Amino acid sequence: KYYQAYLASVSFMDEQVGKVLDALNNSIYKDNTIVVFTSDHGYNLGEKNNLFKNNLWQSSTQVPMIIFDPRTNKKQTISAAVSLIDLYPTFMDYAQVQGDNRKNDKGLPISGTSLKPLIDGKEAAVDTSADKTERYALSVVKLWGKQGVKNFAIRTQDWRYIKYGNNKEELYYNKIDKNEITNLADNAEYAAVKAQLKSKLEQITKNAK
């Protein structure tokens, strides 16, 4: 019954997307509208003996992200790690808008990196080095009832590193372990990879509130 309800929700959503795209294709805007399709994060449907979504594994943190530009016929799959927070800079880039979100010098710039260079082929989409984390996706789960303990994960193209509030760690080589079954965090062979990802994660979360 759970699977049936979940798949029914997916089917219903697909139908609504079709209605929107049909309306766009029948309008005067079909040739000058960039369409971005994405969603909230997913669920574990029994993988790793887990149901629902309050975890930091791939099944629960990945989202669909499709960008369609009617001005080009190029079709491509980008394997670099990207995030929903990259969308706002992407919109700014496509619209060629210059500006700043900060009202004064006390503010911080919006996080995220435009996806347009990836889409245009001006930035290499393939990254095979373990320590190269310029493109990454950050996830956080805050466990209520435990003094608001936060658990973070950083996902690069090939790796996922998780650091829990109790300092437990997980490391997965997603390139070959797509279901994240083998935790490599305590494997000395991957200590350098873990250290690099841990350092990057701590750098970007040090001011997290």
Side-chain angles (χ1 to χ4, degrees):
K1 289 182 177 179
Y2 185 88
Y3 264 82
Q4 183 183 34
Y6 188 89
L7 294 175
S9 298
V10 173
S11 180
F12 176 80
M13 185 62 207
D14 285 348
E15 184 176 357
Q16 309 319 306
V17 172
K19 289 179 180 179
V20 172
L21 293 180
D22 284 346
L24 176 60
N25 287 330
N26 292 323
S27 76
I28 61 175
Y29 305 108
K30 68 176 184 177
D31 295 324
N32 70 347
T33 299
I34 297 173
V35 177
V36 178
F37 174 77
T38 188
S39 79
D40 190 11
H41 53 80
Y43 276 69
N44 275 80
L45 297 174
E47 302 92 337
K48 302 178 75 166
N49 294 322
N50 195 274
L51 195 62
F52 304 128
K53 60 184 181 179
N54 287 324
N55 62 69
L56 293 167
W57 299 318
Q58 180 73 6
S59 296
S60 287
T61 56
Q62 66 181 348
V63 301
M65 187 180 290
I66 302 171
I67 299 178
F68 171 71
D69 186 342
R71 298 169 297 183
T72 177
N73 291 321
K74 182 171 65 172
K75 298 178 181 179
Q76 60 180 323
T77 299
I78 294 172
S79 56
V82 300
S83 177
L84 292 176
I85 61 172
D86 296 327
L87 287 178
Y88 182 78
T90 303
F91 298 154
M92 296 283 284
D93 204 353
Y94 269 114
Q96 298 181 342
V97 174
Q98 302 295 323
D100 199 313
N101 62 287
R102 293 168 288 188
K103 291 184 177 181
N104 55 52
D105 57 6
K106 295 181 180 179
L108 295 174
I110 288 179
S111 300
T113 305
S114 173
L115 303 176
K116 193 171 184 297
L118 281 175
I119 296 169
D120 293 344
K122 295 180 180 179
E123 176 181 324
V126 177
D127 172 16
T128 58
S129 59
D131 60 339
K132 190 174 182 182
T133 55
E134 284 79 5
R135 288 280 181 181
Y136 62 85
L138 175 69
S139 302
V140 58
V141 171
K142 189 173 184 180
L143 298 182
W144 300 105
K146 293 186 177 182
Q147 291 76 47
V149 174
K150 292 180 180 179
N151 309 282
F152 292 100
I154 184 170
R155 175 72 159 88
T156 64
Q157 178 177 309
D158 293 335
W159 296 88
R160 176 184 301 278
Y161 169 72
I162 301 173
K163 183 178 181 183
Y164 294 99
N166 60 5
N167 290 320
K168 288 186 178 180
E169 299 171 298
E170 294 179 26
L171 178 69
Y172 299 104
Y173 186 33
N174 295 78
K175 188 174 183 178
I176 60 173
D177 184 13
K178 298 185 183 301
N179 294 318
E180 299 179 338
I181 302 300
T182 304
N183 181 8
L184 303 171
D186 294 328
N187 189 322
E189 182 179 350
Y190 302 98
V193 175
K194 186 178 78 170
Q196 290 158 356
L197 294 172
K198 182 177 181 179
S199 175
K200 181 66 176 180
L201 178 63
E202 291 177 344
Q203 175 188 341
I204 60 180
T205 60
K206 63 181 180 180
N207 294 320
K209 296 181 180 180

